[in-house]
Amino acid sequence: MSVYVFGHKVPDSDSIVGAISIAYLKNQVEDEEYIPARQGEISAETEFILNKFGGKLPELKTTVAGERVYLVDDSDSHLFQDDIKEATILGITDHHKLGDLTTNAPLEMWVRPIGCSNTVVYEMYQSYGVEIPKDIAGMMMMAILSDTVIFKSPTCTKVDTRVVKELSKIAEVEDYKALAMEMFIVKSAVDGSSARELNTRDYKEFDMNGSMVAVNQLEMIDISALDARKEEILEDMRAMKEEKNLHTVLTLLTDIMKEGSQLLCVSDAPQKIEAAFDAKLENNQVWLDKVLSRKKQVIPFVQPQF
Ligand code: MG
Ligand code: MG
Ligand code: MG
């Protein structure tokens, strides 16, 4: 019986590339067949990476009850399709806080507090003594550059920067920072996207002590491109909050050049969000200087308020 490898259901480049890189590795060292998969549609950024290095789009797999699976880039049930708890989890490779998923049988776990799951995958290849093919090396390098915001994110470690350098040699990409900027320009495109598309582009829900908190993040070269659309985006956040019965909806407009995020907030208790960041919301928003990382600079501060 095959094993499906996939990441969170609103897939980013780390979870798509991780599915590809882990499946390839496992197929070199194990007898069962590992199949790269995804639980949702890919982003323009991920499409850019796949096209650049000739990567194949992993198959869409939205039901996994009764299947054997290997997870990458998260371990929280809310971030996967609803039947994830009915699948058998053989392993997890991740760089987030530990989620609520558990198993009945022993599993392998490769989890480290570093910049990207694909940095952990690199260490898996080293540990198994498997060579990384050129195309996969290129994709892994781009996933790390995306997750670490070209090394600017506080989640980035020396391990990530070293691994990008190693991968760039295998991929034969000299100016990887220039290629990463090209990728972020693709990622920054907002023209033609509806407010709902923007509000769900990098969307995650968190169960905070019984209250559902959604946090979406748009990483852009210049967030002023959205200045005229803030009200429209907030209006859609209000609609989304009602539809999905959420306690709070946050959208982070992250400016990777100014190195900070405009936080938009629609909440039953905005004072919790103000307390989390020790800041005052005006017109449902506030600028958070130096805040680039949802996992390291947002969730750990919002969670204790619940
Ligand atoms: Mg991710
Ligand atoms: Mg990641
Ligand atoms: Mg990210």
Side-chain angles (χ1 to χ4, degrees):
M1 198 176 159
S2 304
V3 181
Y4 290 95
V5 189
F6 53 85
H8 45 89
K9 69 181 166 188
V10 180
D12 57 2
S13 297
D14 192 22
S15 52
I16 295 291
V17 173
I20 295 169
S21 55
I22 290 169
Y24 177 87
L25 170 64
K26 286 292 186 177
N27 285 329
Q28 310 311 305
V29 296
E30 297 200 12
D31 295 331
E32 303 139 289
E33 186 196 16
Y34 279 70
I35 301 172
R38 61 192 163 95
Q39 295 221 296
E41 295 310 323
I42 62 164
S43 67
E45 179 199 80
T46 305
E47 200 181 346
F48 172 86
I49 296 173
L50 294 180
N51 288 343
K52 189 82 203 167
F53 294 96
K56 204 168 146 252
L57 180 66
E59 77 174 67
L60 185 65
K61 186 88 184 142
T62 53
T63 57
V64 291
E67 303 278 10
R68 301 163 78 225
V69 304
Y70 191 110
L71 303 182
V72 58
D73 203 34
D74 230 299
S75 63
D76 200 312
S77 62
H78 295 286
L79 300 176
F80 294 89
Q81 296 289 355
D82 292 341
D83 61 358
I84 189 69
K85 285 185 172 166
E86 295 161 60
T88 302
I89 300 167
L90 301 190
I92 296 171
T93 298
D94 191 21
H95 68 132
H96 290 84
K97 75 181 177 71
L98 199 58
D100 62 333
L101 286 170
T102 185
T103 61
N104 296 322
L107 81 163
E108 67 175 73
M109 287 186 81
W110 304 74
V111 181
R112 294 192 59 196
I114 57 180
C116 184
S117 298
N118 272 282
T119 308
V120 185
V121 177
Y122 177 89
E123 296 182 327
M124 292 170 68
Y125 274 81
Q126 297 232 300
S127 162
Y128 282 109
V130 171
E131 242 178 77
I132 308 175
K134 187 178 165 187
D135 58 333
I136 293 181
M139 292 188 278
M140 290 170 67
M141 173 186 81
M142 296 308 280
I144 301 169
L145 287 163
S146 168
D147 260 14
T148 62
V149 194
I150 322 181
F151 309 144
K152 289 183 187 186
S153 171
T155 58
C156 186
T157 66
K158 281 182 184 145
V159 188
D160 300 289
T161 48
R162 178 178 56 79
V163 168
V164 164
K165 284 189 189 108
E166 295 301 326
L167 290 168
S168 74
K169 285 178 212 152
I170 304 169
E172 295 175 34
V173 175
E174 245 169 68
D175 197 348
Y176 52 81
K177 285 195 180 174
L179 186 59
M181 270 313 274
E182 236 186 276
M183 170 176 74
F184 273 98
I185 289 168
V186 170
K187 187 176 205 170
S188 300
V190 290
D191 288 351
S193 294
S194 68
R196 183 56 57 96
E197 276 160 4
L198 296 174
N199 277 330
T200 52
R201 205 179 260 189
D202 181 1
Y203 178 89
K204 288 184 174 177
E205 285 175 3
F206 301 87
D207 182 347
M208 298 201 177
N209 205 16
S211 298
M212 290 309 291
V213 176
V215 187
N216 179 55
Q217 184 172 29
L218 289 168
E219 289 166 332
M220 299 172 65
I221 304 260
D222 180 6
I223 61 169
S224 70
L226 288 174
D227 278 354
R229 297 185 65 186
K230 297 250 182 74
E231 265 320 306
E232 181 200 345
I233 292 169
L234 278 165
E235 205 43 59
D236 182 67
M237 288 165 66
R238 288 183 193 104
M240 206 155 80
K241 180 176 172 302
E242 291 310 308
E243 281 163 37
K244 297 174 185 269
N245 203 13
L246 301 163
H247 177 284
T248 296
V249 181
L250 303 177
T251 288
L252 290 161
L253 306 179
T254 298
D255 195 307
I256 71 166
M257 303 312 288
K258 293 195 187 81
E259 301 194 23
S261 296
Q262 185 77 11
L263 176 77
L264 307 190
C265 168
V266 171
S267 175
D268 287 339
Q271 68 277 10
K272 286 190 193 297
I273 305 306
E274 293 187 326
F277 298 105
D278 192 19
K280 196 108 199 86
L281 290 162
E282 264 177 65
N283 300 324
N284 297 81
Q285 42 188 296
V286 64
W287 171 256
L288 301 175
D289 208 33
K290 301 275 172 269
V291 170
L292 295 175
S293 166
R294 173 173 48 198
K295 77 168 75 58
K296 196 165 181 173
Q297 295 170 296
V298 175
I299 304 305
F301 295 92
V302 174
Q303 181 100 52
Q305 298 298 326
F306 288 79

mmCIF file with all atom_site columns, all heavy atoms in Angstrom, residues 234-250:
data_model
loop_
_atom_site.group_PDB
_atom_site.id
_atom_site.type_symbol
_atom_site.label_atom_id
_atom_site.label_alt_id
_atom_site.label_comp_id
_atom_site.label_asym_id
_atom_site.label_entity_id
_atom_site.label_seq_id
_atom_site.pdbx_PDB_ins_code
_atom_site.Cartn_x
_atom_site.Cartn_y
_atom_site.Cartn_z
_atom_site.occupancy
_atom_site.B_iso_or_equiv
_atom_site.pdbx_formal_charge
_atom_site.auth_seq_id
_atom_site.auth_comp_id
_atom_site.auth_asym_id
_atom_site.auth_atom_id
_atom_site.pdbx_PDB_model_num
ATOM 1   N N   . LEU A 1 234 ? -10.916 44.141 4.922  1.00 0.00 ? 234 LEU A N   1
ATOM 2   C CA  . LEU A 1 234 ? -11.522 44.037 6.260  1.00 0.00 ? 234 LEU A CA  1
ATOM 3   C C   . LEU A 1 234 ? -12.977 43.581 6.167  1.00 0.00 ? 234 LEU A C   1
ATOM 4   O O   . LEU A 1 234 ? -13.441 42.765 6.969  1.00 0.00 ? 234 LEU A O   1
ATOM 5   C CB  . LEU A 1 234 ? -11.450 45.395 6.969  1.00 0.00 ? 234 LEU A CB  1
ATOM 6   C CG  . LEU A 1 234 ? -10.114 45.722 7.640  1.00 0.00 ? 234 LEU A CG  1
ATOM 7   C CD1 . LEU A 1 234 ? -10.041 47.209 7.978  1.00 0.00 ? 234 LEU A CD1 1
ATOM 8   C CD2 . LEU A 1 234 ? -9.904  44.882 8.897  1.00 0.00 ? 234 LEU A CD2 1
ATOM 9   N N   . GLU A 1 235 ? -13.693 44.105 5.177  1.00 0.00 ? 235 GLU A N   1
ATOM 10  C CA  . GLU A 1 235 ? -15.091 43.729 4.984  1.00 0.00 ? 235 GLU A CA  1
ATOM 11  C C   . GLU A 1 235 ? -15.193 42.220 4.741  1.00 0.00 ? 235 GLU A C   1
ATOM 12  O O   . GLU A 1 235 ? -16.045 41.527 5.303  1.00 0.00 ? 235 GLU A O   1
ATOM 13  C CB  . GLU A 1 235 ? -15.673 44.514 3.788  1.00 0.00 ? 235 GLU A CB  1
ATOM 14  C CG  . GLU A 1 235 ? -17.170 44.697 3.817  1.00 0.00 ? 235 GLU A CG  1
ATOM 15  C CD  . GLU A 1 235 ? -17.693 45.063 5.202  1.00 0.00 ? 235 GLU A CD  1
ATOM 16  O OE1 . GLU A 1 235 ? -17.280 46.098 5.765  1.00 0.00 ? 235 GLU A OE1 1
ATOM 17  O OE2 . GLU A 1 235 ? -18.501 44.267 5.718  1.00 0.00 ? 235 GLU A OE2 1
ATOM 18  N N   . ASP A 1 236 ? -14.286 41.698 3.928  1.00 0.00 ? 236 ASP A N   1
ATOM 19  C CA  . ASP A 1 236 ? -14.284 40.260 3.650  1.00 0.00 ? 236 ASP A CA  1
ATOM 20  C C   . ASP A 1 236 ? -13.878 39.452 4.888  1.00 0.00 ? 236 ASP A C   1
ATOM 21  O O   . ASP A 1 236 ? -14.390 38.353 5.124  1.00 0.00 ? 236 ASP A O   1
ATOM 22  C CB  . ASP A 1 236 ? -13.346 39.939 2.487  1.00 0.00 ? 236 ASP A CB  1
ATOM 23  C CG  . ASP A 1 236 ? -13.377 38.456 2.166  1.00 0.00 ? 236 ASP A CG  1
ATOM 24  O OD1 . ASP A 1 236 ? -14.435 37.976 1.706  1.00 0.00 ? 236 ASP A OD1 1
ATOM 25  O OD2 . ASP A 1 236 ? -12.365 37.773 2.413  1.00 0.00 ? 236 ASP A OD2 1
ATOM 26  N N   . MET A 1 237 ? -12.982 40.005 5.694  1.00 0.00 ? 237 MET A N   1
ATOM 27  C CA  . MET A 1 237 ? -12.593 39.316 6.944  1.00 0.00 ? 237 MET A CA  1
ATOM 28  C C   . MET A 1 237 ? -13.807 39.198 7.867  1.00 0.00 ? 237 MET A C   1
ATOM 29  O O   . MET A 1 237 ? -13.992 38.182 8.537  1.00 0.00 ? 237 MET A O   1
ATOM 30  C CB  . MET A 1 237 ? -11.456 40.073 7.639  1.00 0.00 ? 237 MET A CB  1
ATOM 31  C CG  . MET A 1 237 ? -10.111 39.950 6.921  1.00 0.00 ? 237 MET A CG  1
ATOM 32  S SD  . MET A 1 237 ? -8.884  41.172 7.476  1.00 0.00 ? 237 MET A SD  1
ATOM 33  C CE  . MET A 1 237 ? -8.605  40.653 9.178  1.00 0.00 ? 237 MET A CE  1
ATOM 34  N N   . ARG A 1 238 ? -14.641 40.257 7.900  1.00 0.00 ? 238 ARG A N   1
ATOM 35  C CA  . ARG A 1 238 ? -15.864 40.220 8.720  1.00 0.00 ? 238 ARG A CA  1
ATOM 36  C C   . ARG A 1 238 ? -16.807 39.130 8.211  1.00 0.00 ? 238 ARG A C   1
ATOM 37  O O   . ARG A 1 238 ? -17.367 38.353 8.993  1.00 0.00 ? 238 ARG A O   1
ATOM 38  C CB  . ARG A 1 238 ? -16.580 41.579 8.685  1.00 0.00 ? 238 ARG A CB  1
ATOM 39  C CG  . ARG A 1 238 ? -15.851 42.640 9.476  1.00 0.00 ? 238 ARG A CG  1
ATOM 40  C CD  . ARG A 1 238 ? -16.586 43.986 9.505  1.00 0.00 ? 238 ARG A CD  1
ATOM 41  N NE  . ARG A 1 238 ? -15.672 45.012 10.010 1.00 0.00 ? 238 ARG A NE  1
ATOM 42  C CZ  . ARG A 1 238 ? -15.062 45.930 9.256  1.00 0.00 ? 238 ARG A CZ  1
ATOM 43  N NH1 . ARG A 1 238 ? -15.311 46.024 7.960  1.00 0.00 ? 238 ARG A NH1 1
ATOM 44  N NH2 . ARG A 1 238 ? -14.202 46.784 9.803  1.00 0.00 ? 238 ARG A NH2 1
ATOM 45  N N   . ALA A 1 239 ? -16.939 39.055 6.892  1.00 0.00 ? 239 ALA A N   1
ATOM 46  C CA  . ALA A 1 239 ? -17.818 38.038 6.288  1.00 0.00 ? 239 ALA A CA  1
ATOM 47  C C   . ALA A 1 239 ? -17.295 36.633 6.603  1.00 0.00 ? 239 ALA A C   1
ATOM 48  O O   . ALA A 1 239 ? -18.042 35.725 6.979  1.00 0.00 ? 239 ALA A O   1
ATOM 49  C CB  . ALA A 1 239 ? -17.900 38.256 4.783  1.00 0.00 ? 239 ALA A CB  1
ATOM 50  N N   . MET A 1 240 ? -15.981 36.469 6.486  1.00 0.00 ? 240 MET A N   1
ATOM 51  C CA  . MET A 1 240 ? -15.353 35.173 6.718  1.00 0.00 ? 240 MET A CA  1
ATOM 52  C C   . MET A 1 240 ? -15.527 34.737 8.175  1.00 0.00 ? 240 MET A C   1
ATOM 53  O O   . MET A 1 240 ? -15.772 33.571 8.475  1.00 0.00 ? 240 MET A O   1
ATOM 54  C CB  . MET A 1 240 ? -13.865 35.310 6.396  1.00 0.00 ? 240 MET A CB  1
ATOM 55  C CG  . MET A 1 240 ? -13.194 34.059 5.998  1.00 0.00 ? 240 MET A CG  1
ATOM 56  S SD  . MET A 1 240 ? -11.757 34.440 4.976  1.00 0.00 ? 240 MET A SD  1
ATOM 57  C CE  . MET A 1 240 ? -10.588 34.865 6.216  1.00 0.00 ? 240 MET A CE  1
ATOM 58  N N   . LYS A 1 241 ? -15.412 35.702 9.075  1.00 0.00 ? 241 LYS A N   1
ATOM 59  C CA  . LYS A 1 241 ? -15.559 35.434 10.506 1.00 0.00 ? 241 LYS A CA  1
ATOM 60  C C   . LYS A 1 241 ? -16.948 34.855 10.789 1.00 0.00 ? 241 LYS A C   1
ATOM 61  O O   . LYS A 1 241 ? -17.089 33.875 11.535 1.00 0.00 ? 241 LYS A O   1
ATOM 62  C CB  . LYS A 1 241 ? -15.337 36.718 11.287 1.00 0.00 ? 241 LYS A CB  1
ATOM 63  C CG  . LYS A 1 241 ? -15.455 36.585 12.785 1.00 0.00 ? 241 LYS A CG  1
ATOM 64  C CD  . LYS A 1 241 ? -15.126 37.902 13.462 1.00 0.00 ? 241 LYS A CD  1
ATOM 65  C CE  . LYS A 1 241 ? -15.427 37.849 14.941 1.00 0.00 ? 241 LYS A CE  1
ATOM 66  N NZ  . LYS A 1 241 ? -16.818 37.535 15.266 1.00 0.00 ? 241 LYS A NZ  1
ATOM 67  N N   . GLU A 1 242 ? -17.980 35.447 10.166 1.00 0.00 ? 242 GLU A N   1
ATOM 68  C CA  . GLU A 1 242 ? -19.349 34.959 10.338 1.00 0.00 ? 242 GLU A CA  1
ATOM 69  C C   . GLU A 1 242 ? -19.513 33.572 9.737  1.00 0.00 ? 242 GLU A C   1
ATOM 70  O O   . GLU A 1 242 ? -19.977 32.638 10.397 1.00 0.00 ? 242 GLU A O   1
ATOM 71  C CB  . GLU A 1 242 ? -20.355 35.920 9.692  1.00 0.00 ? 242 GLU A CB  1
ATOM 72  C CG  . GLU A 1 242 ? -20.486 37.264 10.401 1.00 0.00 ? 242 GLU A CG  1
ATOM 73  C CD  . GLU A 1 242 ? -20.693 37.116 11.904 1.00 0.00 ? 242 GLU A CD  1
ATOM 74  O OE1 . GLU A 1 242 ? -21.610 36.368 12.306 1.00 0.00 ? 242 GLU A OE1 1
ATOM 75  O OE2 . GLU A 1 242 ? -19.926 37.741 12.678 1.00 0.00 ? 242 GLU A OE2 1
ATOM 76  N N   . GLU A 1 243 ? -19.103 33.433 8.472  1.00 0.00 ? 243 GLU A N   1
ATOM 77  C CA  . GLU A 1 243 ? -19.268 32.164 7.736  1.00 0.00 ? 243 GLU A CA  1
ATOM 78  C C   . GLU A 1 243 ? -18.626 30.989 8.453  1.00 0.00 ? 243 GLU A C   1
ATOM 79  O O   . GLU A 1 243 ? -19.177 29.899 8.513  1.00 0.00 ? 243 GLU A O   1
ATOM 80  C CB  . GLU A 1 243 ? -18.584 32.250 6.356  1.00 0.00 ? 243 GLU A CB  1
ATOM 81  C CG  . GLU A 1 243 ? -19.360 32.997 5.311  1.00 0.00 ? 243 GLU A CG  1
ATOM 82  C CD  . GLU A 1 243 ? -18.441 33.396 4.150  1.00 0.00 ? 243 GLU A CD  1
ATOM 83  O OE1 . GLU A 1 243 ? -17.541 32.582 3.800  1.00 0.00 ? 243 GLU A OE1 1
ATOM 84  O OE2 . GLU A 1 243 ? -18.623 34.496 3.604  1.00 0.00 ? 243 GLU A OE2 1
ATOM 85  N N   . LYS A 1 244 ? -17.416 31.188 8.952  1.00 0.00 ? 244 LYS A N   1
ATOM 86  C CA  . LYS A 1 244 ? -16.647 30.082 9.515  1.00 0.00 ? 244 LYS A CA  1
ATOM 87  C C   . LYS A 1 244 ? -16.755 30.030 11.033 1.00 0.00 ? 244 LYS A C   1
ATOM 88  O O   . LYS A 1 244 ? -16.072 29.224 11.668 1.00 0.00 ? 244 LYS A O   1
ATOM 89  C CB  . LYS A 1 244 ? -15.176 30.194 9.098  1.00 0.00 ? 244 LYS A CB  1
ATOM 90  C CG  . LYS A 1 244 ? -14.940 30.085 7.591  1.00 0.00 ? 244 LYS A CG  1
ATOM 91  C CD  . LYS A 1 244 ? -13.470 30.369 7.289  1.00 0.00 ? 244 LYS A CD  1
ATOM 92  C CE  . LYS A 1 244 ? -13.153 30.400 5.815  1.00 0.00 ? 244 LYS A CE  1
ATOM 93  N NZ  . LYS A 1 244 ? -12.754 29.083 5.277  1.00 0.00 ? 244 LYS A NZ  1
ATOM 94  N N   . ASN A 1 245 ? -17.563 30.928 11.593 1.00 0.00 ? 245 ASN A N   1
ATOM 95  C CA  . ASN A 1 245 ? -17.768 30.941 13.038 1.00 0.00 ? 245 ASN A CA  1
ATOM 96  C C   . ASN A 1 245 ? -16.449 31.081 13.800 1.00 0.00 ? 245 ASN A C   1
ATOM 97  O O   . ASN A 1 245 ? -16.145 30.306 14.711 1.00 0.00 ? 245 ASN A O   1
ATOM 98  C CB  . ASN A 1 245 ? -18.496 29.646 13.445 1.00 0.00 ? 245 ASN A CB  1
ATOM 99  C CG  . ASN A 1 245 ? -19.226 29.814 14.757 1.00 0.00 ? 245 ASN A CG  1
ATOM 100 O OD1 . ASN A 1 245 ? -19.392 30.940 15.239 1.00 0.00 ? 245 ASN A OD1 1
ATOM 101 N ND2 . ASN A 1 245 ? -19.630 28.706 15.349 1.00 0.00 ? 245 ASN A ND2 1
ATOM 102 N N   . LEU A 1 246 ? -15.663 32.069 13.399 1.00 0.00 ? 246 LEU A N   1
ATOM 103 C CA  . LEU A 1 246 ? -14.353 32.284 13.998 1.00 0.00 ? 246 LEU A CA  1
ATOM 104 C C   . LEU A 1 246 ? -14.438 33.340 15.103 1.00 0.00 ? 246 LEU A C   1
ATOM 105 O O   . LEU A 1 246 ? -15.279 34.242 15.051 1.00 0.00 ? 246 LEU A O   1
ATOM 106 C CB  . LEU A 1 246 ? -13.364 32.755 12.920 1.00 0.00 ? 246 LEU A CB  1
ATOM 107 C CG  . LEU A 1 246 ? -13.161 31.795 11.742 1.00 0.00 ? 246 LEU A CG  1
ATOM 108 C CD1 . LEU A 1 246 ? -12.513 32.514 10.561 1.00 0.00 ? 246 LEU A CD1 1
ATOM 109 C CD2 . LEU A 1 246 ? -12.311 30.600 12.168 1.00 0.00 ? 246 LEU A CD2 1
ATOM 110 N N   . HIS A 1 247 ? -13.563 33.227 16.081 1.00 0.00 ? 247 HIS A N   1
ATOM 111 C CA  . HIS A 1 247 ? -13.494 34.241 17.135 1.00 0.00 ? 247 HIS A CA  1
ATOM 112 C C   . HIS A 1 247 ? -12.750 35.474 16.631 1.00 0.00 ? 247 HIS A C   1
ATOM 113 O O   . HIS A 1 247 ? -13.124 36.619 16.919 1.00 0.00 ? 247 HIS A O   1
ATOM 114 C CB  . HIS A 1 247 ? -12.785 33.653 18.357 1.00 0.00 ? 247 HIS A CB  1
ATOM 115 C CG  . HIS A 1 247 ? -12.589 34.622 19.490 1.00 0.00 ? 247 HIS A CG  1
ATOM 116 N ND1 . HIS A 1 247 ? -11.623 35.608 19.484 1.00 0.00 ? 247 HIS A ND1 1
ATOM 117 C CD2 . HIS A 1 247 ? -13.265 34.766 20.663 1.00 0.00 ? 247 HIS A CD2 1
ATOM 118 C CE1 . HIS A 1 247 ? -11.707 36.302 20.612 1.00 0.00 ? 247 HIS A CE1 1
ATOM 119 N NE2 . HIS A 1 247 ? -12.694 35.811 21.339 1.00 0.00 ? 247 HIS A NE2 1
ATOM 120 N N   . THR A 1 248 ? -11.699 35.203 15.870 1.00 0.00 ? 248 THR A N   1
ATOM 121 C CA  . THR A 1 248 ? -10.817 36.283 15.414 1.00 0.00 ? 248 THR A CA  1
ATOM 122 C C   . THR A 1 248 ? -10.282 35.951 14.020 1.00 0.00 ? 248 THR A C   1
ATOM 123 O O   . THR A 1 248 ? -9.960  34.800 13.754 1.00 0.00 ? 248 THR A O   1
ATOM 124 C CB  . THR A 1 248 ? -9.612  36.429 16.388 1.00 0.00 ? 248 THR A CB  1
ATOM 125 O OG1 . THR A 1 248 ? -10.109 36.819 17.675 1.00 0.00 ? 248 THR A OG1 1
ATOM 126 C CG2 . THR A 1 248 ? -8.595  37.453 15.904 1.00 0.00 ? 248 THR A CG2 1
ATOM 127 N N   . VAL A 1 249 ? -10.216 36.962 13.175 1.00 0.00 ? 249 VAL A N   1
ATOM 128 C CA  . VAL A 1 249 ? -9.541  36.812 11.881 1.00 0.00 ? 249 VAL A CA  1
ATOM 129 C C   . VAL A 1 249 ? -8.448  37.868 11.805 1.00 0.00 ? 249 VAL A C   1
ATOM 130 O O   . VAL A 1 249 ? -8.713  39.067 11.957 1.00 0.00 ? 249 VAL A O   1
ATOM 131 C CB  . VAL A 1 249 ? -10.514 36.999 10.689 1.00 0.00 ? 249 VAL A CB  1
ATOM 132 C CG1 . VAL A 1 249 ? -9.770  36.807 9.360  1.00 0.00 ? 249 VAL A CG1 1
ATOM 133 C CG2 . VAL A 1 249 ? -11.681 36.026 10.782 1.00 0.00 ? 249 VAL A CG2 1
ATOM 134 N N   . LEU A 1 250 ? -7.216  37.413 11.596 1.00 0.00 ? 250 LEU A N   1
ATOM 135 C CA  . LEU A 1 250 ? -6.090  38.331 11.439 1.00 0.00 ? 250 LEU A CA  1
ATOM 136 C C   . LEU A 1 250 ? -5.512  38.167 10.043 1.00 0.00 ? 250 LEU A C   1
ATOM 137 O O   . LEU A 1 250 ? -5.374  37.042 9.558  1.00 0.00 ? 250 LEU A O   1
ATOM 138 C CB  . LEU A 1 250 ? -4.987  38.017 12.465 1.00 0.00 ? 250 LEU A CB  1
ATOM 139 C CG  . LEU A 1 250 ? -5.381  38.050 13.946 1.00 0.00 ? 250 LEU A CG  1
ATOM 140 C CD1 . LEU A 1 250 ? -4.190  37.641 14.808 1.00 0.00 ? 250 LEU A CD1 1
ATOM 141 C CD2 . LEU A 1 250 ? -5.879  39.433 14.338 1.00 0.00 ? 250 LEU A CD2 1
#
